[in-house]
Amino acid sequence: MNSKCTRYIKSLAVASLLLSLFIVLPIQAQETEQQREARMKWWTEARFGMFIHWGLYAMPARHEWVKNRERMTDEDYQKYFELFNPDLYNPEEWARDAKNAGMKYFVVTTKHHEGFCLWDSKYTDYKSTNTPYGKDLIKPMVNAFRNEGIRVGFYYSLIDWHHPEYPVDSRHPMRDNKEFREKTKDRDVRKYAEYLYNQVRELLTEFGQIDCLFLDFSFPGKDGKGRDDWQSEKLLKMIRQIQPNVVLNDRLDLLDVPGGWDFRTPEQYMPREWVTVNGKKVPWETCQTFSGSWGYYRDETTWKSTRQLIVLLTETVSKGGNLLLNVGPTARGTFDNRAKDRLNEIGEWMKLHGRSIYGCTQAPEEFIAPEDCILTYNPETRRLYVHVLDWPMGRLHLDGFAGRVKYAQLLNDASEVRFSQRRLRLGAGISRETLTLQLPVTKPGVAVPVIELFLQ
Ligand code: GLC
């Protein structure tokens, strides 16, 4: 063989190796940290989104796990499917409510664990188009939210308590029913995995750009399900290929796989500090409910107050995270008044204080929050925000801030806050450079007042 020919063959081999690497490895595995940050920039800056849990479980109105909790059979549950008719559903109104509350993205349950699909999937009959309502619920929702400039996210349950090939496991409504277990022991999880693959692909191809994807959830181990059951790696590859910009959650059981997740998802609790993995700070989003349930729960009364919710949002941002706040619409298709009131009030606060939330993050380490205050920081504008939870009498001392602030104002009305600076002698040779804000005696008339500090 002449050398030209050998060279040609060699370069072909190199090219095909490169190509196969590219195809085999998930795209994100080759992403640098900067590229990932750029892909997630909109999400990190958004800070505040709306979760929507909606499905047949809105009818029993006693938790989205009702089928499981009450060990209902498919037959027991069928009545909800046969009667589902959210006649007042008006997604434009939902989108307006989210927008007014200051939310920048939304994530809706296209299918929850009950298996009911809110869109016209070609892989099942168990969908909204076959209920008395008769229409796809997702398409108009996506359009309505997009029209308000809100980014689109899909929640999809990996778990499925209705699919005929989904093997009964420790979380299944029929788990204690020996007869049922016996009767269904030949269910083939590979067939279910194919269904789930097809549905996720459908969701990622039929609705335009999908900005976030929330897959829920894995519980590997005995009588559980994890990456082998879901075929998570195959799924991941497809997701990254079809929607390379999507921001993906962490419940596919792929925590150790490069590109297997984009953010961690602490649920219903506030992490004590910025969430880390192997000692490194990572993007995170806490999902939280207004009250104890995700689906509409008529008689649940542990609703958080607006103030609590604002503090929740602020504290989340102060630790570098996002808040995904959940609404469980009713079976008529409406947000109930408890949710509406809170969204409205949060919106009032956000209109004046969005600047201390969007694009903000944890304050640089040298700034320690004084008692009853939460700090957030915008690294681009270099402004620091002091959220004052308990309005002090006239003065607020900021230890260590002296010499670092050039101007201070209340954020709600941009009125100047004057300050003085001095060295505080604490005895025993210790002293602190303290900046003292001179606050009005009367607390500003907002849920949580914020002082904006312009750094030197
Ligand atoms: C849990 C629950 C579920 C809820 C979800 C939200 O995994 O199973 O009902 O949808 O968390 O993060």
Side-chain angles (χ1 to χ4, degrees):
M1 225 186 295
N2 66 26
S3 71
K4 213 167 163 192
C5 185
T6 337
R7 239 182 295 135
Y8 178 68
I9 290 173
K10 266 194 197 151
S11 60
L12 255 188
V14 171
S16 67
L17 179 74
L18 282 177
L19 195 69
S20 67
L21 262 182
F22 189 73
I23 291 170
V24 173
L25 288 177
I27 292 168
Q28 261 64 28
Q30 302 157 25
E31 212 181 28
T32 64
E33 213 163 301
Q34 284 83 350
Q35 283 166 332
R36 183 169 90 148
E37 263 170 37
R39 177 167 57 83
M40 294 183 66
K41 188 166 189 280
W42 74 265
W43 184 87
T44 312
E45 288 178 353
R47 287 306 184 210
F48 191 27
M50 174 182 276
F51 218 169
I52 299 177
H53 274 69
W54 202 31
L56 300 179
Y57 45 78
M59 294 176 69
R62 47 182 194 273
H63 206 276
E64 77 284 354
W65 277 59
V66 61
K67 189 179 186 190
N68 175 300
R69 288 182 166 187
E70 299 181 13
R71 310 292 196 272
M72 287 189 199
T73 62
D74 284 336
E75 294 72 51
D76 295 333
Y77 208 70
Q78 183 63 11
K79 57 179 174 286
Y80 304 125
F81 179 75
E82 282 167 12
L83 294 172
F84 185 71
N85 193 5
D87 59 327
L88 300 179
Y89 175 47
N90 177 359
E92 281 79 26
E93 197 178 322
W94 292 12
R96 244 178 287 128
D97 286 348
K99 168 98 181 234
N100 285 337
M103 291 153 159
K104 300 287 192 190
Y105 60 106
F106 88 111
V107 179
V108 60
T109 53
T110 56
K111 177 192 93 168
H112 202 259
H113 309 336
E114 63 177 3
F116 176 69
C117 297
L118 272 63
W119 83 103
D120 192 12
S121 171
K122 61 171 178 279
Y123 301 101
T124 184
D125 294 332
Y126 200 50
K127 56 184 175 182
S128 60
T129 46
N130 291 332
T131 65
Y133 184 70
K135 286 179 272 182
D136 182 335
L137 297 161
I138 297 295
K139 270 231 162 97
M141 201 186 302
V142 165
N143 291 336
F145 278 78
R146 258 196 209 123
N147 287 342
E148 290 290 355
I150 297 177
R151 298 259 194 171
V152 177
F154 285 161
Y155 167 109
Y156 178 86
S157 172
L158 299 166
I159 294 166
D160 194 313
W161 299 328
H162 181 266
H163 195 276
E165 292 293 348
Y166 184 91
V168 178
D169 54 32
S170 60
R171 311 281 171 109
H172 196 279
M174 291 291 99
R175 61 189 172 281
D176 301 330
N177 186 327
K178 285 210 180 77
E179 220 176 287
F180 190 87
R181 274 216 185 222
E182 184 55 31
K183 209 169 69 195
T184 58
K185 69 175 187 315
D186 292 330
R187 287 186 171 192
D188 185 350
V189 77
R190 281 166 308 183
K191 287 193 188 142
Y192 173 68
E194 198 181 311
Y195 172 73
L196 115 76
Y197 183 92
N198 284 333
Q199 285 211 315
V200 172
R201 198 186 42 211
E202 194 173 46
L203 287 170
L204 296 182
T205 46
E206 307 272 302
F207 299 89
Q209 181 178 317
I210 302 306
D211 301 297
C212 352
L213 185 62
F214 196 114
L215 300 174
D216 194 37
F217 62 91
S218 300
F219 51 115
K222 191 172 170 288
D223 219 11
K225 287 189 176 60
R227 70 168 87 182
D228 295 336
D229 303 290
W230 317 129
Q231 297 284 302
S232 294
E233 295 192 60
K234 186 174 158 211
L235 201 62
L236 175 71
K237 215 167 102 187
M238 178 263 287
I239 294 166
R240 297 302 195 191
Q241 253 157 24
I242 301 183
Q243 295 275 351
N245 292 319
V246 83
V247 178
L248 177 68
N249 78 329
D250 62 345
R251 297 186 183 176
L252 260 178
D253 190 21
L254 293 178
L255 286 183
D256 55 338
V257 171
W261 56 279
D262 289 324
F263 62 95
R264 302 302 320 260
T265 55
E267 176 180 324
Q268 296 280 48
Y269 73 93
M270 172 59 65
R272 292 191 64 182
E273 51 190 28
W274 194 316
V275 177
T276 59
V277 171
N278 300 327
K280 243 185 99 210
K281 288 178 178 164
V282 293
W284 64 277
E285 170 189 80
T286 179
C287 44
Q288 303 270 356
T289 54
F290 280 123
S291 72
S293 156
W294 299 90
Y296 177 62
Y297 198 136
R298 186 190 54 209
D299 302 334
E300 220 281 333
T301 52
T302 61
W303 284 68
K304 299 170 184 82
S305 70
T306 299
R307 203 190 121 86
Q308 278 178 306
L309 294 162
I310 291 170
V311 173
L312 184 65
L313 174 60
T314 307
E315 194 174 339
T316 302
V317 176
S318 80
K319 295 171 181 173
N322 282 20
L323 173 65
L324 190 62
L325 186 57
N326 180 73
V327 180
T330 69
R332 294 294 299 273
T334 55
F335 291 177
D336 80 305
N337 286 337
R338 294 168 293 185
K340 263 188 160 310
D341 292 347
R342 284 163 178 80
L343 288 171
N344 259 331
E345 290 164 13
I346 293 172
E348 271 173 39
W349 187 85
M350 283 297 279
K351 256 160 229 123
L352 298 173
H353 302 93
R355 226 148 81 195
S356 73
I357 299 295
Y358 305 127
C360 288
T361 187
Q362 191 165 58
E365 262 168 38
E366 63 265 33
F367 297 103
I368 310 289
E371 216 172 304
D372 292 323
C373 292
I374 295 176
L375 296 181
T376 63
Y377 174 67
N378 185 322
E380 257 166 51
T381 59
R382 300 195 60 255
R383 292 186 195 174
L384 198 59
Y385 297 94
V386 187
H387 300 75
V388 187
L389 307 187
D390 195 7
W391 196 248
M393 240 313 292
R395 296 224 154 106
L396 182 65
H397 303 290
L398 303 173
D399 290 334
F401 285 47
R404 300 185 154 171
V405 175
K406 58 180 182 218
Y407 189 74
Q409 64 181 10
L410 287 176
L411 187 50
N412 62 291
D413 64 357
S415 62
E416 182 175 9
V417 173
R418 293 199 286 176
F419 55 84
S420 57
Q421 316 188 53
R422 69 195 166 105
R423 179 175 284 262
L424 269 191
R425 290 193 197 290
L426 301 173
I430 304 170
S431 64
R432 280 193 306 226
E433 303 288 334
T434 296
L435 182 143
T436 301
L437 298 170
Q438 288 154 28
L439 299 178
V441 171
T442 314
K443 179 191 159 204
V446 293
V448 177
V450 178
I451 299 152
E452 186 175 41
L453 303 179
F454 297 61
L455 297 187
Q456 290 286 3

